[in-house]
């Protein structure tokens, strides 16, 4: 398969870059424009530092039907369709820092949010029995086996709530405690 296709195999290993700079420039904050990048490496091949196609990006693409946007892995670096905005799921107007426990919405170009889709096996996608088939990349998968889609804007829907964690750092599966509940006390 193609290198960008292999990049979709480990969605938990996406690197978050600040969109305007395509690099890390300190911590990411609520309201920041980011892109999700996967470093491209080919088996047995070394990339030179000046090689242009260093990353594949999580990108929006018009669906075949034309009435929605699909999520794909693409090498186009300077596209508005691979720009995402990190927003607090419970308070979209909040700005500032966040922790790995903060529930986040990840908004695309048209304000629709990144969301978990169907299980990959439910899509009826063939296993590719040796034919060359379509040139399109398969949808990005999470370790849960579910695809990623871009739809809806409601931060209360569990499939749209994400958390960003630093690679290699253990984290709790518990979401951020409700600030009102902790302020009121027992």
């Amino acid at each position: 398969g193609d290198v960008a296709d292999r990049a979709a195999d480990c969605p938990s290993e996406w690197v978050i870059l600040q969109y305007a700079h395509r690099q890390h420039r300190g911590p990411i904050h609520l309201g920041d424009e980011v892109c999700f990048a996967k470093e491209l490496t080919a088996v047995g091949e070394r990339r030179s530092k000046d090689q242009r196609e260093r990353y594949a990006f999580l990108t929006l693409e018009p669906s075949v039907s034309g009435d929605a946007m699909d999520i794909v892995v693409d090498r186009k670096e300077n596209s508005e369709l691979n720009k995402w905005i990190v927003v607090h799921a419970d308070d979209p107007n909040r700005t500032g820092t966040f922790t790995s426990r903060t529930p986040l919405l990840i908004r695309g170009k048209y304000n629709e949010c990144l969301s978990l889709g169907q299980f990959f096996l439910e899509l009826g996608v063939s296993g590719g029995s040796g034919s060359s088939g379509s040139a399109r990349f398969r949808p990005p998968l999470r370790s849960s086996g579910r695809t990623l889609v871009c739809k809806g804007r409601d931060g209360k829907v569990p499939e749209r709530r994400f958390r960003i964690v630093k690679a290699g750092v253990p984290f709790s599966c518990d979401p951020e405690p409700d600030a009102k509940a902790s302020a009121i006390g027992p």
Side-chain angles (χ1 to χ4, degrees):
D2 188 76
V3 175
D5 191 25
R6 286 195 304 272
D9 288 343
C10 300
S12 63
E13 296 178 9
W14 289 94
V15 175
I16 301 173
L17 303 175
Q18 291 175 329
Y19 179 79
H21 306 290
R22 293 293 196 267
Q23 61 186 350
H24 297 286
R25 296 232 177 182
I28 295 169
H29 295 86
L30 295 169
D32 280 0
E33 295 176 340
V34 299
C35 57
F36 293 89
K38 172 95 44 186
E39 190 161 12
L40 297 174
T41 56
V43 178
E45 189 179 304
R46 297 199 101 159
R47 295 189 162 283
S48 65
K49 289 183 180 181
D50 61 339
Q51 193 161 359
R52 297 188 108 190
E53 291 184 351
R54 182 175 176 195
Y55 295 106
F57 298 93
L58 195 64
T59 304
L60 291 170
E61 175 183 88
S63 66
V64 175
S65 63
D67 61 351
M69 297 298 281
D70 289 336
I71 305 291
V72 297
V73 177
D74 196 352
R75 293 181 184 179
K76 293 178 188 163
E77 184 173 335
N78 294 320
S79 168
E80 289 284 313
L81 296 176
N82 64 29
K83 178 171 42 174
W84 303 90
I85 300 174
V86 178
V87 179
H88 194 290
D90 297 325
D91 183 3
N93 296 319
R94 187 186 289 182
T95 59
T97 61
F98 61 90
T99 69
S100 62
R101 297 174 58 112
T102 305
L104 301 172
L105 293 177
I106 301 170
R107 287 194 178 149
K109 177 177 170 101
Y110 303 105
N111 289 323
E112 297 283 315
C113 295
L114 194 63
S115 179
L116 293 179
Q118 295 177 309
F119 285 96
F120 190 66
L121 296 175
E122 292 175 1
L123 293 175
V125 178
S126 68
S129 57
S131 64
S132 59
S134 170
R136 292 191 62 202
F137 301 131
R138 64 185 167 91
L141 295 175
R142 296 172 44 91
S143 60
S144 67
R146 294 179 74 175
T147 60
L148 292 174
V149 297
C150 195
K151 67 177 190 178
R153 299 177 185 183
D154 183 0
K156 305 280 186 231
V157 176
E159 288 81 9
R160 293 189 194 114
R161 296 168 74 96
F162 290 87
R163 290 185 291 145
I164 296 175
V165 297
K166 190 172 184 179
V169 176
F171 68 97
S172 167
C173 291
D174 296 327
E176 183 175 63
D178 186 348
K180 291 178 186 173
S182 61
I184 294 170

